[in-house]
Amino acid sequence: MSKKEKIEQESLEEQVEELRKDMFKVFEVLLPPKEVRREIMKNLYLMELSFLRILKTLIDYEVGKIEGKVGKEEKKEKVKKIEVE
């Protein structure tokens, strides 16, 4: 990975984190009661967690399919028996 790609990746992660912080600041302003704010924040985190679990499940499924294909290809290479008299 080149330095340019590394810098772009880090800056993208920083941008996402800044957007997240800004979103939470907006919620703090719009939702003054502390209990309501906590509940909404908790639900947002749970939504994010659920979304990431869905992605993980889909990735695990695709990995399993690919591993199955690779396993089938390896099994096809069998040794043939030659009868010797």
Side-chain angles (χ1 to χ4, degrees):
M1 186 182 301
S2 68
K3 289 183 180 181
K4 185 178 180 181
E5 290 175 1
K6 201 176 229 182
I7 290 171
E8 288 177 6
Q9 183 180 13
E10 289 175 0
S11 65
L12 181 63
E13 290 173 2
E14 290 172 2
Q15 289 175 356
V16 169
E17 191 61 34
E18 287 178 23
L19 284 172
R20 177 182 280 168
K21 288 178 182 178
D22 290 342
M23 183 183 72
F24 289 139
K25 287 179 185 177
V26 168
F27 279 128
E28 286 180 9
V29 172
L30 293 176
L31 304 169
K34 204 173 200 179
E35 298 81 20
V36 173
R37 191 175 345 137
R38 280 189 203 153
E39 190 65 28
I40 289 177
M41 299 301 257
K42 177 182 153 191
N43 288 336
L44 286 174
Y45 284 123
L46 288 174
M47 285 175 26
E48 182 180 8
L49 179 63
S50 296
F51 179 72
L52 292 174
R53 284 182 177 163
I54 289 169
L55 285 177
K56 181 183 179 296
T57 302
L58 291 172
I59 291 171
D60 288 344
Y61 174 74
E62 290 298 322
V63 167
K65 280 179 32 180
I66 293 171
E67 286 176 344
K69 289 178 182 178
V70 170
K72 286 180 183 176
E73 289 177 5
E74 289 176 359
K75 290 179 182 178
K76 289 181 181 177
E77 298 177 11
K78 293 184 179 178
V79 178
K80 294 182 180 179
K81 292 182 181 179
I82 300 175
E83 293 182 21
V84 179
E85 293 182 15

